[in-house]
């Protein structure tokens, strides 16, 4: 006895449109990669399946890391994840240097400070005063290395997984360490706003 497990959405039509799930997935991924985005309603119409089928397909493809779902469709993961290395972030260098100089006024004479990752924070670390007794916490290896030779500073890193692009220590280990420290001033970088 055989059981037919084909659903209406999985059977090919007479014009050869991809209705098998694996074929639909290929079309969806190819569309989002070539166009950078896709509209779920338009894809449902093109593939002659329900928008619910496309929605479920997009959920599956997002779990596999092949695209990112957005309201009404999906966008390419590559478009969302571009992040230049810190050393390559040279735009607005004069403005970043002015911000770093202004931030120097907030560095206390003693106590504890936190320096986050980022190109502007890196400039601040290069200018950081060496004449103060400070505990400096950072999640960034390059910033720790820039400061460790200054004898009056006690430099601490948070630990954790190191991101190759930024040399920042991230994830749960770093978050746990961050939750256990108290600082007088924190200098934070901003990658994006969502």
């Amino acid at each position: 006895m055989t059981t037919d497990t084909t659903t209406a959405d999985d059977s090919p039509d007479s014009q050869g449109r991809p209705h098998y799930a694996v074929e639909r997935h290929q079309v969806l991924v190819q569309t989002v990669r070539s166009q950078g985005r896709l509209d779920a309603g338009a894809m449902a119409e093109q593939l002659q399946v329900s928008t619910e089928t496309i929605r479920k397909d997009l959920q599956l493809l997002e779990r596999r890391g092949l695209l990112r779902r957005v309201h009404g469709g999906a966008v390419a993961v590559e478009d969302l994840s571009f992040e230049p290395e810190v050393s390559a972030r040279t735009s607005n260098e004069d403005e970043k240097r002015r911000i770093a100089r202004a931030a120097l006024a907030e560095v206390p004479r003693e106590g504890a400070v936190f320096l986050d990752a980022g190109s502007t924070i890196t400039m601040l670390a290069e200018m950081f005063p060496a004449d103060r007794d400070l505990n400096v916490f950072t999640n960034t290896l390059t910033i720790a290395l820039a400061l460790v030779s200054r004898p009056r500073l006690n430099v601490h890193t948070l630990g954790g997984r190191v991101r190759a692009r930024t040399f920042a220590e991230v994830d749960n280990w770093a978050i746990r360490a961050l939750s256990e420290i108290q600082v007088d001033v924190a200098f934070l970088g901003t990658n994006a706003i969502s």
Side-chain angles (χ1 to χ4, degrees), residues 12 102 114-115 119 127 144 158 177:
F114 176 76
L115 298 177
S119 55
M127 301 175 192
L158 300 182

Side-chain angles (χ1 to χ4, degrees), residues 81-160:
S81 62
F82 174 72
E83 180 183 7
E85 294 179 15
V86 173
S87 61
R89 298 177 197 173
T90 57
S91 60
N92 304 314
E93 196 167 323
D94 291 337
E95 290 84 356
K96 291 177 181 188
R97 197 171 316 288
R98 279 197 295 273
I99 292 168
R101 277 195 205 102
L104 285 173
E106 303 301 322
V107 177
R109 297 293 312 162
E110 57 185 34
V113 298
F114 176 76
L115 298 177
D116 192 14
S119 55
T120 306
I121 307 294
T122 299
M123 286 184 181
L124 173 61
E126 291 167 0
M127 301 175 192
F128 209 78
D131 64 341
R132 301 174 189 193
D133 296 317
L134 292 168
N135 286 311
V136 179
F137 297 90
T138 184
N139 65 327
T140 310
L141 298 178
T142 53
I143 289 175
L145 290 171
L147 297 175
V148 74
S149 63
R150 300 174 191 183
R152 293 181 67 181
L153 301 179
N154 292 310
V155 180
H156 307 266
T157 66
L158 300 182

Side-chain angles (χ1 to χ4, degrees), residues 2 17 113 146 155 167 170-171 184 191:
T2 62
R17 290 186 186 97
V113 298
V155 180
F167 297 108
V170 297
D171 291 337
D184 300 298
N191 286 351

Side-chain angles (χ1 to χ4, degrees), residues 4-193:
D4 184 1
T5 58
T6 304
T7 66
D9 285 339
D10 283 341
S11 59
D13 68 9
S14 61
Q15 297 171 351
R17 290 186 186 97
H19 284 236
Y20 288 110
V22 69
E23 293 174 323
R24 275 195 323 271
H25 297 169
Q26 288 174 343
V27 169
L28 294 171
V29 170
Q30 287 169 352
T31 300
V32 81
R33 284 186 178 161
S34 65
Q35 297 177 13
R37 60 182 304 279
L38 68 79
D39 178 87
M43 292 306 296
E45 188 176 315
Q46 177 185 329
L47 299 174
Q48 294 186 343
V49 296
S50 69
T51 54
E52 180 65 16
T53 296
I54 296 297
R55 188 184 68 75
K56 289 177 182 177
D57 289 344
L58 295 178
Q59 284 177 337
L60 175 73
L61 295 170
E62 183 178 47
R63 279 195 305 269
R64 292 181 181 166
L66 299 172
L67 52 76
R68 177 76 51 92
R69 287 184 311 132
V70 295
H71 182 72
V75 294
V77 174
E78 297 83 15
D79 291 345
L80 297 174
S81 62
F82 174 72
E83 180 183 7
E85 294 179 15
V86 173
S87 61
R89 298 177 197 173
T90 57
S91 60
N92 304 314
E93 196 167 323
D94 291 337
E95 290 84 356
K96 291 177 181 188
R97 197 171 316 288
R98 279 197 295 273
I99 292 168
R101 277 195 205 102
L104 285 173
E106 303 301 322
V107 177
R109 297 293 312 162
E110 57 185 34
V113 298
F114 176 76
L115 298 177
D116 192 14
S119 55
T120 306
I121 307 294
T122 299
M123 286 184 181
L124 173 61
E126 291 167 0
M127 301 175 192
F128 209 78
D131 64 341
R132 301 174 189 193
D133 296 317
L134 292 168
N135 286 311
V136 179
F137 297 90
T138 184
N139 65 327
T140 310
L141 298 178
T142 53
I143 289 175
L145 290 171
L147 297 175
V148 74
S149 63
R150 300 174 191 183
R152 293 181 67 181
L153 301 179
N154 292 310
V155 180
H156 307 266
T157 66
L158 300 182
R161 180 178 65 83
V162 177
R163 293 191 66 225
R165 192 167 296 284
T166 61
F167 297 108
E169 300 164 329
V170 297
D171 291 337
N172 291 336
W173 194 348
I175 292 169
R176 269 194 313 274
L178 189 58
S179 72
E180 295 176 5
I181 64 171
Q182 292 183 355
V183 298
D184 300 298
V185 179
F187 298 96
L188 304 176
T190 303
N191 286 351
I193 297 174

